[in-house]
Amino acid sequence: MAQVMTEASRSEPGSPARKVPAGVLESPIVPTMLRLALPTIVVLVVQTLVGLAETYFVSFLGTEALAGVALVFPVLMLMQMMANGGIGGGVSSAIARALGANRAVHP
């Protein structure tokens, strides 16, 4: 789906107009944020369900196995969140650079 490009002039008079994607900058804030957050919400729900399924299967191994999982779980979550933060920072940086260079960002 191609986004509509609009002509938005810079603040200086006489400067050339630059193209800005209308879908990100001019659409309503709440629906745009929800649309952009939807994939992340889906991933979080799936990760929660996988965690519950893993706990269910480990519970058949006994309380010692559940205790081991409970001991490792905080470190596992810390590593996953650090990785997610790095990926999110990289993606937002790439989008910001593309918008700054007047390149269209297509979903």
Side-chain angles (χ1 to χ4, degrees):
M1 172 172 126
Q3 293 187 359
V4 178
M5 302 295 274
T6 61
E7 296 291 330
S9 61
R10 296 181 183 182
S11 59
E12 305 153 6
S15 65
R18 61 181 238 207
K19 294 180 183 243
V20 187
V24 175
L25 300 178
E26 295 177 2
S27 59
I29 294 173
V30 173
T32 302
M33 293 298 289
L34 290 175
R35 180 176 51 90
L36 293 173
L38 187 62
T40 304
I41 293 170
V42 170
V43 167
L44 290 173
V45 168
V46 169
Q47 281 182 340
T48 302
L49 294 175
V50 167
L52 287 172
E54 288 175 353
T55 305
Y56 175 73
F57 288 117
V58 170
S59 70
F60 290 118
L61 300 175
T63 56
E64 294 85 9
L66 279 175
V69 169
L71 185 65
V72 173
F73 181 75
V75 177
L76 174 69
M77 289 306 294
L78 174 67
M79 300 310 274
Q80 284 181 347
M81 291 303 111
M82 288 174 53
N84 288 340
I87 291 170
V91 169
S92 63
S93 171
I95 291 172
R97 284 185 284 158
L99 288 175
N102 296 326
R103 293 191 312 245
V105 179
H106 301 287

